[in-house]
Amino acid sequence: MPVFNHTEDLKTMLNSILDNSYQDWELLAVDDGSDEETKEVLKQYATQDKRINIIQRVREPKGAQTCRNTGFELAQGEYIVFFDSDDYVAPYCLEQRVKELSKHPELDFMVFRSGTYYDNAFHQEPDKLNYGYQIYNDDIEAFCSRTLPFIVWNNIYRRTSLLKYGISWDTHLLSLQDAQFNLECILSGMHYAYSTLAPDYGYRTASTGSVSKQILSAAHFESNLYATKRFYSLIQQRYRHRYDHALYRGAMFLYVKVSRTGIQQAFNLKLASLVRSFSSSWGTLFLWQVRLTHLFSKALPLAIARRLPILNYLLWFRRAEHQMVAQQKKMS
């Protein structure tokens, strides 16, 4: 579990782990250079419970991905879960995950449903921020489109499987690490299945430490380009152009996220050119959409200029979110 500040959220997460019915665990809390208040909180919990081990990240680069690699390298357990330090786990989370995966020796990991955590409470009702439901016909296509079927904290992995397939966290990524990690697990040939049990993880929807919010900053632009290139390279190496449409949607997802800060023309053109280098047809469409947005911005309100050229994508994404929630309701 990477740790970086937000002490009150951290206390909630630590307390929820301690409240779990399953007791045979170790927590590797890898501190990423937190302030003294957060370090003191970690020390207090580690003093009270010897199963909590504090590790200081000492190698570069700074970030959750380095912390996760560090924790995994030191882990001794049969099973591995990667949690975030500002979320919540249900009291039955660890027990049901260990029990279910132990029933299936043929599997390398299992996916469990998640809910959300807000207003100091765990919510299981269907939501567009819930993950881990088997609602897609093709998980690879979903990951390429950035309509993520599951996040890393949905899963429990066999430690031997991660070692066998050489899976680790890409330290060049400042964001989008979960999708990269899970996609590499699938492409490596790891066997997995979805659980149909009750949601057991609460994703905090209002965390100030969320990496997903930082994706809007200029500091993440190069990382976004790198992530897009990695996705295209991984997928096309195996499937050639089968998933080009989905990969275009994934790039469009980044484009929309970044555009919320305003029209970042230099980044947008780089992203469109990158897509075009892997897929001529979809990349050309992307490039025209970028150019039209820039052109419309000279005569139209910024919000309209951003949305008009990509209206088809925006409508598709909204339908995808509605369908996801509808499918959750059917499965609940």
Side-chain angles (χ1 to χ4, degrees):
M1 186 177 76
V3 176
F4 184 66
N5 298 336
H6 49 81
T7 56
E8 293 307 312
D9 297 345
L10 173 61
K11 291 177 184 177
T12 297
M13 185 58 169
L14 291 172
N15 288 334
S16 71
I17 293 173
L18 290 170
D19 286 341
N20 260 251
S21 57
Y22 186 82
Q23 295 293 306
D24 188 15
W25 51 262
E26 64 168 349
L27 172 62
L28 299 166
V30 186
D31 182 65
D32 197 28
S34 299
D35 55 33
E36 290 304 315
E37 181 183 6
T38 303
K39 290 180 179 179
E40 184 59 34
V41 167
L42 282 175
K43 290 177 183 177
Q44 290 173 3
Y45 276 84
T47 299
Q48 295 169 9
D49 196 309
K50 299 304 180 184
R51 294 173 298 178
I52 299 176
N53 299 308
I54 306 172
I55 302 157
Q56 296 297 324
R57 177 192 58 78
V58 294
R59 66 178 186 243
E60 299 295 331
K62 174 181 171 59
Q65 62 276 32
T66 303
C67 294
R68 290 177 180 132
N69 282 337
T70 299
F72 175 63
E73 290 163 10
L74 296 172
Q76 299 297 312
E78 181 178 356
Y79 304 113
I80 299 290
V81 289
F82 295 99
F83 287 158
D84 286 346
S85 62
D86 55 350
D87 290 330
Y88 168 89
V89 294
Y92 51 83
C93 175
L94 296 177
E95 182 173 359
Q96 83 170 9
R97 292 191 184 192
V98 170
K99 186 178 293 185
E100 285 301 298
L101 186 53
S102 66
K103 294 177 183 177
H104 298 280
E106 76 282 6
L107 298 179
D108 297 296
F109 70 96
M110 283 192 73
V111 182
F112 289 78
R113 297 173 178 180
S114 65
T116 52
Y117 189 85
Y118 58 89
D119 294 337
N120 297 316
F122 179 42
H123 302 268
Q124 299 186 31
E125 61 271 16
D127 188 279
K128 65 181 180 180
L129 293 175
N130 292 357
Y131 302 93
Y133 288 77
Q134 191 174 8
I135 60 178
Y136 299 106
N137 295 323
D138 187 337
D139 282 349
I140 294 176
E141 181 180 19
F143 274 113
C144 290
S145 299
R146 303 288 179 186
T147 51
L148 306 181
F150 51 86
I151 311 295
V152 70
W153 32 250
N154 287 112
N155 306 340
I156 180 171
Y157 305 84
R158 295 188 191 277
R159 186 169 67 92
T160 54
S161 295
L162 292 173
L163 290 170
K164 174 184 176 181
Y165 290 97
I167 306 298
S168 63
W169 292 85
D170 189 335
T171 57
H172 293 93
L173 288 170
L174 299 180
S175 55
L176 310 174
Q177 304 105 323
D178 284 66
Q180 180 74 36
F181 186 90
N182 284 321
L183 183 63
E184 292 203 29
C185 285
I186 296 174
L187 295 179
S188 73
M190 292 176 71
H191 299 287
Y192 69 101
Y194 286 81
S195 165
T196 58
L197 298 176
D200 62 15
Y201 189 91
Y203 170 62
R204 187 182 291 270
T205 60
S207 172
T208 57
S210 174
V211 171
S212 62
K213 297 177 180 62
Q214 298 170 23
I215 195 175
L216 307 181
S217 69
H220 282 239
F221 285 179
E222 288 302 318
S223 177
N224 295 341
L225 295 172
Y226 171 79
T228 302
K229 184 176 181 179
R230 280 296 312 275
F231 257 63
Y232 267 100
S233 298
L234 282 170
I235 295 298
Q236 289 191 351
Q237 183 178 5
R238 177 75 63 86
Y239 299 104
R240 297 182 63 81
H241 297 285
R242 174 179 170 182
Y243 290 104
D244 279 6
H245 189 191
L247 288 164
Y248 156 80
R249 286 172 170 168
M252 186 60 65
F253 174 84
L254 291 177
Y255 171 73
V256 171
K257 285 285 189 181
V258 169
S259 294
R260 290 177 181 174
T261 63
I263 298 177
Q264 308 290 339
Q265 188 68 354
F267 169 78
N268 296 340
L269 289 172
K270 285 183 180 180
L271 182 60
S273 296
L274 179 60
V275 173
R276 194 178 186 186
S277 70
F278 285 97
S279 174
S280 177
S281 56
W282 291 109
T284 299
L285 172 61
F286 200 154
L287 191 59
W288 274 108
Q289 289 171 311
V290 169
R291 288 172 174 169
L292 283 173
T293 298
H294 185 64
L295 181 64
F296 289 165
S297 68
K298 299 181 182 299
L300 298 172
L302 189 58
I304 297 176
R306 290 202 313 261
R307 294 185 177 96
L308 195 58
I310 60 170
L311 190 58
N312 282 345
Y313 167 78
L314 294 175
L315 292 174
W316 168 82
F317 190 81
R318 177 170 293 184
R319 285 196 303 272
E321 285 189 333
H322 288 323
Q323 290 170 0
M324 179 177 67
V325 175
Q327 285 292 99
Q328 290 177 22
K329 289 180 179 178
K330 289 181 181 180
M331 294 178 175
S332 299

